[in-house]
Amino acid sequence: MDAELISSGIKVVTSDHPEWEERRQRWNLFSEADDDESSADVRIIVVPKNQDEIIQIVNWARKYNQTDIGVRSGGHGFFSSASVVIDMREGFNYVKMIDDNGNSKVAVVGMGNTLKEVDEVTTPYQIPLGVVSHTGCGLLLTGGVGYLCKEHGATADNILEVTIVTSDGQVHTCSKDVEPDLFFAVRGSAPNLGVVTEVKLRCYHKPDGAFCALRAWPNTYENFKRLIDWADQPAVLNDPTITPYVAMIPTPDLSAHLCAIHIVCVGDKSNDEKYRELIGQLEGAEGGTPLLEASRVPFSTPQTMFDASQGRQYWYVSQNCFKGDLLLDDEGLKKAVEAFNKIQLNPTQPMVIYEQRGSKTTSKYHAFPSDSCAQPRYDQRWECYVFFGTTDKDHAETMREQGRTMKAVIQQYASEGGRCHLTKDEPGSRLELFYGPNTTKLRDIIAKYDPHRLFAKCNGMEF
């Protein structure tokens, strides 16, 4: 079976290949099967150089009923416990710019890039992307939120066209006007539909970079609540060019618990006085430490600032959604601060990040209905992400339990829904937690385009 693929001329990497160790790695060392290593189940890695080779690979997989395929699209490699991995990083690491008009362009992005590699080509134009630059372009197809989402919507909202090879070996180029059901599903559930080769996205002219600040205080309820209240004032909440991230983090040496705010303002230089005045409201708060002084910086600064804290290790990652354009519950914030401060740091590296999506009336994130793509949204003003990590294998299960405990505290005051990555502790259907009211429609579309179920278990989701 494997010999047929090896003899086809397609680059194949197996355990005796010098590239095996690097190519089988992924960001999270936990696997869906709870194996000790993330890549324990990987049997063979194929490295296509063009679309024709992807068709060959898919036809081979269908012939031999290989129903545990994973795709690595440039970065973290969320290929779960797949035994066959398609590594897109050699043949599909291109980015091309297409002229559109003075304020926006279209980027044609191959699915073998990291977000950093995309940024390097598109600048001074920016795509609404995630905020960790070594993430792969697979993130483009799973929602994608970042510094531009209040002004221009999520990444999925700015996708114009997707090219995908489905399990029958056919190539589909879908858009809102061509195969709209597939276009709906691929923006949120692409790994379970086939192998995406490229996407076309809208990007926006941002020649002035961003106005940013990052500041931290001891993690007390009073300090944390002050940061949330600052972000919820109308001048920030209703300004689509200002995105605040309020977080609980450890000090770099893992000796103390902090709360922090990262503020990214994407308007042009004419707004700097307004931004500086707003951020100045925080600068007099006692005990504050500036980690990045309020200043105009290249867009690459916020896009890469947190890369080091998101390195390859054992991770527990979850998301809680606070449905509706509502204030966060004071009691919930107090309990979250108390729970975070009880965590024994080192070797656990915990982060709890509250991300603001803006007001329902002014943020473009809310301009797109929940059923416009597979990944739903709930008019949420706030979402909360729990990132707990450790490099210590012997501590990994303890760290994961700490993460689950933190999520449970937050979940008491959040809504059902939201994602939980690479965990098995969630009640009910993981599909319904992830896709909410879009689950039934999505099941039907995936059954239509993947009747052979080659991709049914990709990305930790089983349809």
Side-chain angles (χ1 to χ4, degrees), residues 278-342:
L278 282 168
I279 294 169
Q281 296 172 8
L282 296 169
E283 292 179 349
E286 184 178 350
T289 301
L291 305 177
L292 173 65
E293 294 283 6
S295 58
R296 178 69 56 172
V297 297
F299 213 87
S300 59
T301 298
Q303 287 290 76
T304 60
M305 184 179 295
F306 301 104
D307 285 3
S309 67
Q310 297 279 328
R312 182 174 179 265
Q313 57 183 331
Y314 294 92
W315 284 102
Y316 174 89
V317 183
S318 69
Q319 173 195 16
N320 286 279
C321 177
F322 300 90
K323 293 182 181 178
D325 190 7
L326 304 172
L327 295 171
L328 296 173
D329 184 272
D330 287 352
E331 185 66 21
L333 293 178
K334 185 177 294 185
K335 288 189 175 181
V337 170
E338 291 172 353
F340 189 83
N341 287 345
K342 290 178 182 177

Side-chain angles (χ1 to χ4, degrees), residues 29 54 56 84 87 91 129 141 156 161 166 219 252 255 267 300 328 347 386 392 408 412 442 462:
L29 295 180
I54 289 179
Q56 284 183 260
V84 179
D87 189 338
L129 294 174
L141 295 159
E161 189 175 277
T166 51
N219 191 39
S255 65
S300 59
L328 296 173
V386 173
D392 185 343
Q412 294 177 54
L442 190 56
E462 184 166 0

